[in-house]
Amino acid sequence: MRRSVNILVLILFFTAFFPALGYEVTKEPGLRLKKDILTQNNLLIEQAFRDSAERYKEEIEKLDYNPGNISEEMLQAAYFSYLLLKIKYQTTKYEILKIHYLSSDNALVLVKISVPDIDLLIQNKDFNNFIDKKLNERLGSAYSTDIEKFSDREINELYSLTFIVISETVLEYAPDIKDLKSRNIEIKAQKSGGKWILEDSIFNYTEF
């Protein structure tokens, strides 16, 4: 009985501190990599994806969408672009499916990219109600007023502001988005100076 208990404790310890990989690891025929080196490389490649996402976030935060000395239209366009980048960052999810080692310093990483399914999202009743509520709050009577009563300039201003409000609302609603669509892509990774570097970003494969 004691022996069985000891074995169970060892199994639990191993599982807690060395969890099973959630992805497949393969290598080219004839390529020799020690198990500890392979494990270390896997962890470093995972970190490379996290670092890549963090750099993307930092680049967004550095953007100056209110530089001054520009027209209101240009300011709105800059802010709208900033919001789209924020939406891309917050709504893009990724999952490593497979790491295939081409050599000791090169690998192909199969990744599942998941983003909001726009076609399903715009049919979502809760989402549409949320959008309507925010538009009413921000635009007031202008949102429900017959647009034919507006001048061309007022219509353009209303459209621009509407796009911004919708983008801000999507950003706020992002944690509740459940309708996603996915695609698998391959990203090359290369080891340099003891670190693994990705040749591409997961955010280059999204629709926003």
Side-chain angles (χ1 to χ4, degrees):
M1 179 67 178
R2 178 183 293 274
R3 176 180 171 82
S4 299
V5 171
N6 288 340
I7 292 175
L8 180 59
V9 170
L10 287 174
I11 292 174
L12 290 175
F13 177 83
F14 184 85
T15 303
F17 289 92
F18 302 96
L21 294 176
Y23 50 84
E24 181 184 1
V25 179
T26 60
K27 55 186 179 180
E28 286 290 288
L31 178 61
R32 294 185 177 183
L33 286 173
K34 292 183 179 180
K35 188 175 181 179
D36 58 338
I37 297 298
L38 198 62
T39 300
Q40 183 183 42
N41 284 341
N42 293 338
L43 294 174
L44 290 174
I45 289 175
E46 291 177 26
Q47 186 62 49
F49 276 87
R50 290 191 290 269
D51 291 343
S52 177
E54 186 61 28
R55 283 194 300 272
Y56 185 84
K57 178 183 178 182
E58 290 173 356
E59 289 172 4
I60 295 174
E61 298 304 332
K62 288 178 183 177
L63 292 177
D64 185 2
Y65 58 85
N66 188 14
N69 297 322
I70 63 173
S71 67
E72 182 67 23
E73 290 181 358
M74 291 295 294
L75 178 60
Q76 287 185 346
Y79 182 54
F80 181 59
S81 298
Y82 167 79
L83 288 174
L84 291 183
L85 291 174
K86 290 272 286 185
I87 291 172
K88 179 186 289 189
Y89 173 76
Q90 290 202 14
T91 60
T92 301
K93 304 179 186 301
Y94 74 90
E95 178 187 355
I96 296 176
L97 300 177
K98 179 180 178 180
I99 298 178
H100 178 71
Y101 288 92
L102 303 171
S103 68
S104 58
D105 297 327
N106 291 276
L108 277 178
V109 186
L110 182 65
V111 187
K112 181 171 79 171
I113 306 291
S114 298
V115 296
D117 188 322
I118 304 301
D119 292 334
L120 292 178
L121 186 61
I122 60 177
Q123 298 176 44
N124 185 301
K125 184 177 179 180
D126 289 338
F127 175 72
N128 283 308
N129 288 339
F130 193 70
I131 290 284
D132 283 339
K133 177 183 177 184
K134 293 297 180 180
L135 286 171
N136 274 306
E137 289 176 356
R138 290 287 297 277
L139 303 182
S141 60
Y143 178 56
S144 56
T145 302
D146 188 349
I147 199 170
E148 293 181 358
K149 297 179 180 180
F150 293 160
S151 65
D152 290 342
R153 180 178 178 180
E154 288 174 329
I155 290 174
N156 289 333
E157 290 176 352
L158 181 61
Y159 278 159
S160 296
L161 186 55
T162 299
F163 282 131
I164 287 176
V165 174
I166 290 176
S167 299
E168 290 175 338
T169 304
V170 170
L171 199 56
E172 186 178 345
Y173 191 82
D176 296 320
I177 295 178
K178 300 295 189 297
D179 296 318
L180 303 174
K181 60 181 180 181
S182 304
R183 60 184 290 206
N184 294 344
I185 63 168
E186 281 188 337
I187 293 180
K188 291 183 179 180
Q190 184 173 27
K191 193 175 185 179
S192 176
K195 293 182 63 177
W196 283 85
I197 301 171
L198 305 182
E199 292 190 2
D200 207 348
S201 168
I202 60 170
F203 298 102
N204 291 336
Y205 296 88
T206 59
E207 297 181 354
F208 288 106

